[in-house]
Amino acid sequence: MNRKLLVASIVASLAGFLFGFDTVVISGANLPIKELWQTSDWFHGTFIMSMALWGTVVGALCAGYPTNKWGRKTTLIWIGIFYFVSAIGSALAPDPYLFSFFRFLGGLGVGVSSIAAPTYISEISSANNRGRLGILYQFNIVFGILVAFISNYLLEGVGGDLDWRIMLGIEGLPALLYTVMVFGIPKSPRWLVLYRQDADGAEKVLNSLTNSRTEAAEMLAAIEEDYERTKADTDKVFSAKYKKPLVLAFLIAFFNQLSGINFILYYAPEILVKAGFGSSGSLFSSIAIGLVNLLFTFIGMSLIDKAGRKQLMYIGSIGYIISLFMVSYGFYSEADATFKLIFILMFIASHAVGQGAVIWIFIAEIFPNKVRAYGQAWGSGTHWVFAALITLSGSVLINTFEPWVAFAFFGCFMILQLLFVHFMMPETKGKSLEEIEAELISPS
């Protein structure tokens, strides 16, 4: 694989590291903040735990404009700035309202990154390496999650009452480093052709990102052909011709969150306390969740361009169903903590191999070049709306109902996901973005 292509993909995917770190670091600050500001379950769920996710919803829904207008690279730079300001502001916030504002700001960065980074990586890669490079974004999300869990565990007791502030503020360091690194990556060649009509600039980028001028010329020809074919097309993303990718993006995003993944990640220490672990043990066991997530993401990386997206979704769906109902049974029967943890880890492994490995790549693949950023915004926005709703209600769900009810609820939705994968989901491995477009888009 071309070295510059790999480096550019890794740097862009580091937005995923900040995404994962930012969304999960709050789990370590969850209970200390609740005790400090004495908030109700509803206030805590809405303003403390889920405010970043509402920022993510806004960021995802609005990300199409800056990603297209100013470019994928420029947007990625601004993402790093938002993460940095959010981390420092959240750590220094004197009250829950300012805290919520800075968490919302970080959420904007998460939402925009979930469009700009996968779009950028998909547009600089080719059909035979797009899966492996695209999953770098997901790998960095789970790596960020793991580092956040480890960071929270190591920082517990370091600053006394200030522990949670240090946990949140430490994110400013990688955010600053990432922002500096993004300045060194090239612009997307597809963006240069479609939005700047700069074929010469796109050719230079492609020559630097491929191992032969022949391959670069073939990619440029396909991009230019697609541009010529669609430049007179005035249809917006929400038109009948894009119905199929819109439905596919909505459903994969919907099922991603109705698996309960964010509920488990955000409330992991609290869930593990209810499972029977002590407070310190719950933070340590959260690290096990992060490690399993990372390990099975590696497995997903090795299989996604071989087995394909659909096969991984089959594996993940079956694993979801078994693990969620077994965790539900464990809480219902009051099984010991280790029994519950084993099947929670199986759930995480199933997510990492299935939905976690596939979702961002799949949504970035199924929309045409011309509306990719807006299609990404639709799929990602759907994902984050349901993530916010589930996280908002998580504190109530876990404290009002028996935990087994929540896990059974999510398990039922994973049965529906399995049906979606079997009957509706297409396979996209080994196909160029332009080939996928020809298969999924209805003729005008």
Side-chain angles (χ1 to χ4, degrees):
M1 187 181 299
N2 181 279
R3 180 179 173 275
K4 288 185 178 179
L5 172 63
L6 181 60
V7 170
S9 298
I10 290 172
V11 171
S13 71
L14 289 174
F17 175 87
L18 296 169
F19 169 162
F21 194 101
D22 188 83
T23 53
V24 171
V25 71
I26 190 66
S27 66
N30 175 16
L31 295 178
I33 288 175
K34 195 170 186 179
E35 292 174 7
L36 174 65
W37 287 321
Q38 294 294 303
T39 55
S40 68
D41 285 340
W42 275 113
F43 184 97
H44 187 74
T46 303
F47 288 93
I48 303 301
M49 296 300 289
S50 72
M51 186 54 69
L53 284 171
W54 290 115
T56 301
V57 170
V58 174
L61 293 175
C62 298
Y65 180 81
T67 303
N68 286 344
K69 179 72 174 177
W70 302 316
R72 287 57 162 142
K73 176 180 175 176
T74 301
T75 303
L76 289 171
I77 292 171
W78 276 101
I79 286 167
I81 294 170
F82 273 51
Y83 279 127
F84 178 78
V85 174
S86 171
I88 303 304
S90 299
L92 299 176
D95 58 60
Y97 302 102
L98 271 176
F99 178 87
S100 298
F101 169 77
F102 285 110
R103 288 293 294 164
F104 182 86
L105 204 62
L108 290 176
V110 172
V112 178
S113 81
S114 67
I115 281 78
T119 296
Y120 177 82
I121 295 170
S122 73
E123 291 185 347
I124 65 171
S125 55
S126 60
N128 64 346
N129 57 32
R130 192 174 59 246
R132 281 173 293 164
L133 293 176
I135 204 174
L136 285 171
Y137 182 69
Q138 176 64 20
F139 167 81
N140 272 293
I141 292 174
V142 300
F143 185 51
I145 289 170
L146 173 61
V147 172
F149 280 138
I150 294 174
S151 175
N152 286 350
Y153 177 73
L154 293 177
L155 291 173
E156 185 184 29
V158 170
D161 291 340
L162 298 178
D163 280 356
W164 67 270
R165 295 187 183 275
I166 301 172
M167 290 176 184
L168 295 170
I170 201 74
E171 184 187 350
L173 295 176
L176 189 60
L177 178 62
Y178 160 79
T179 305
V180 173
M181 292 173 68
V182 175
F183 279 96
I185 66 175
K187 295 178 180 179
S188 160
R190 284 179 168 88
W191 179 79
L192 285 170
V193 172
L194 268 66
Y195 293 95
R196 288 295 181 270
Q197 291 77 55
D198 184 6
D200 291 339
E203 184 177 19
K204 290 178 183 177
V205 172
L206 288 169
N207 282 330
S208 72
L209 297 178
T210 57
N211 291 323
S212 72
R213 290 186 176 273
T214 301
E215 182 184 359
E218 290 174 351
M219 291 178 68
L220 180 61
I223 295 168
E224 289 185 305
E225 181 186 347
D226 178 69
Y227 170 69
E228 291 297 327
R229 188 179 68 253
T230 61
K231 67 180 180 180
D233 185 356
T234 58
D235 287 335
K236 303 300 183 184
V237 69
F238 292 108
S239 61
K241 69 185 297 182
Y242 302 128
K243 178 181 177 181
K244 191 167 185 178
L246 285 169
V247 170
L248 291 171
F250 176 88
L251 288 175
I252 196 169
F254 171 82
F255 285 123
N256 182 284
Q257 285 306 300
L258 267 296
S259 69
I261 182 63
N262 270 29
F263 170 74
I264 290 173
L265 291 177
Y266 274 58
Y267 293 95
E270 196 169 348
I271 290 170
L272 292 168
V273 166
K274 288 183 177 293
F277 290 93
S279 178
S280 180
S282 72
L283 282 174
F284 185 76
S285 297
S286 296
I287 296 175
I289 289 175
L291 284 170
V292 169
N293 205 356
L294 187 66
L295 172 63
F296 280 85
T297 297
F298 273 118
I299 296 174
M301 288 177 70
S302 69
L303 293 176
I304 194 157
D305 279 327
K306 297 176 183 176
R309 289 58 157 156
K310 188 164 184 171
Q311 295 303 315
L312 293 188
M313 287 291 287
Y314 272 126
I315 295 168
S317 298
I318 293 169
Y320 272 149
I321 292 166
I322 295 171
S323 58
L324 284 166
F325 282 113
M326 290 305 292
V327 175
S328 177
Y329 170 76
F331 276 105
Y332 181 79
S333 63
E334 298 183 353
D336 64 37
T338 302
F339 177 91
K340 296 165 198 164
L341 179 60
I342 287 171
F343 285 103
I344 288 174
L345 294 178
M346 180 182 175
F347 168 86
I348 295 296
S350 302
H351 176 80
V353 169
Q355 272 273 12
V358 172
I359 181 171
W360 303 114
I361 296 172
F362 185 74
I363 295 176
E365 291 175 327
I366 60 176
F367 288 97
N369 293 327
K370 190 166 187 177
V371 297
R372 178 165 298 112
Y374 294 109
Q376 280 273 101
W378 162 251
S380 184
T382 299
H383 172 278
W384 291 115
V385 165
F386 285 101
L389 290 172
I390 289 171
T391 306
L392 180 153
S393 57
S395 185
V396 176
L397 186 64
I398 200 171
N399 291 305
T400 303
F401 299 95
E402 291 294 326
W404 72 266
V405 175
F407 285 97
F409 170 80
F410 294 129
C412 290
F413 275 99
M414 291 305 92
I415 295 173
L416 296 178
Q417 175 178 275
L418 183 59
L419 296 175
F420 156 72
V421 172
H422 183 71
F423 290 107
M424 295 183 65
M425 185 177 175
E427 181 56 77
T428 57
K429 73 165 183 173
K431 300 173 183 176
S432 72
L433 297 176
E434 289 73 26
E435 288 172 334
I436 296 169
E437 175 182 346
E439 291 181 13
L440 294 183
I441 306 306
S442 304
S444 300

